[in-house]
Amino acid sequence: MRGHRISIRLPKSLPYRNKGSVRFFRGNRFALIFFLLLIFCSAMVVRQFMVNQSRHVELRENFILLYSKGYPEKAERLYKRLLRELEGLPNKALIDDYQRTFVLVYPATQQPDNLIWKYHSTVSNELDKRSEGTLRRALNKRSEGTLQRALKMAEEEEK
């Protein structure tokens, strides 16, 4: 029995099926890493935009609350911060600010000592300025010929 070896036969393994995909990942790993990084960075940009937007809403609401509860000095600091951010805000945020402050003030009468009214007036002026620029750009586009024709027709009807 000395010369007799015990041999164990192992079953033959199945053929490796994922060779093609492994080759693909190894050959294109830099491109795949780049695309994963691009997707991650895009998600972070969107997240940061949403955080900034909610931060502005919180700042506006704190401003309104402080002014309404009788803390004009603290409200004025927030008012100044809101004014600094005003030009960088998207149109949707401006419209939200306009609608939120519209219910709190009577816009027909001037109230220069009311910070909420002053903010509402500033937002309204900024919206007017932006809408004029948007209308001017639309009129200058050659592809927007239908808008120009509609305006000419409206002018002719007025005459």
Side-chain angles (χ1 to χ4, degrees):
M1 286 232 182
R2 227 182 227 216
H4 188 31
R5 291 189 193 179
I6 300 176
S7 65
I8 300 175
R9 288 190 159 202
L10 298 174
K12 289 188 175 181
S13 63
L14 296 174
Y16 189 58
R17 294 181 184 171
N18 295 331
K19 268 186 185 177
S21 60
V22 169
R23 261 191 227 135
F24 174 77
F25 285 120
R26 283 186 182 167
N28 298 312
R29 68 177 165 224
F30 295 114
L32 292 171
I33 290 171
F34 170 75
F35 285 120
L36 286 174
L37 189 62
L38 184 66
I39 291 169
F40 175 75
C41 290
S42 299
M44 290 288 99
V45 166
V46 169
R47 180 187 167 281
Q48 189 63 43
F49 180 76
M50 292 172 63
V51 166
N52 290 347
Q53 190 68 18
S54 65
R55 190 177 300 146
H56 172 75
V57 170
E58 186 178 341
L59 183 65
R60 180 192 68 212
E61 292 302 319
N62 287 340
F63 160 68
I64 292 170
L65 180 68
L66 287 172
Y67 190 77
S68 300
K69 294 296 181 181
Y71 297 98
E73 299 85 20
K74 293 180 181 180
E76 188 163 0
R77 278 191 294 170
L78 294 180
Y79 169 74
K80 289 178 182 176
R81 274 183 62 188
L82 285 168
L83 289 182
R84 281 193 306 266
E85 292 178 356
L86 200 61
E87 286 188 18
L89 288 177
N91 287 344
K92 184 183 180 333
L94 280 178
I95 292 170
D96 290 344
D97 286 1
Y98 179 82
Q99 290 174 343
R100 177 67 176 105
T101 56
F102 185 79
V103 297
L104 300 173
V105 297
Y106 186 66
T109 61
Q110 291 193 358
Q111 305 166 21
D113 52 332
N114 184 343
L115 286 178
I116 297 175
W117 181 86
K118 284 170 64 175
Y119 183 66
H120 176 78
S121 175
T122 306
V123 167
S124 177
N125 291 339
E126 181 69 21
L127 279 172
D128 289 343
K129 185 172 73 173
R130 288 186 186 188
S131 65
E132 288 172 6
T134 304
L135 182 61
R136 202 175 309 116
R137 279 193 304 274
L139 288 173
N140 288 336
K141 283 186 178 179
R142 292 182 187 188
S143 63
E144 295 289 326
T146 56
L147 179 61
Q148 291 173 348
R149 281 183 292 219
L151 287 173
K152 285 180 184 178
M153 287 173 46
E155 287 174 0
E156 290 173 3
E157 288 176 5
E158 288 177 358
K159 292 177 184 178

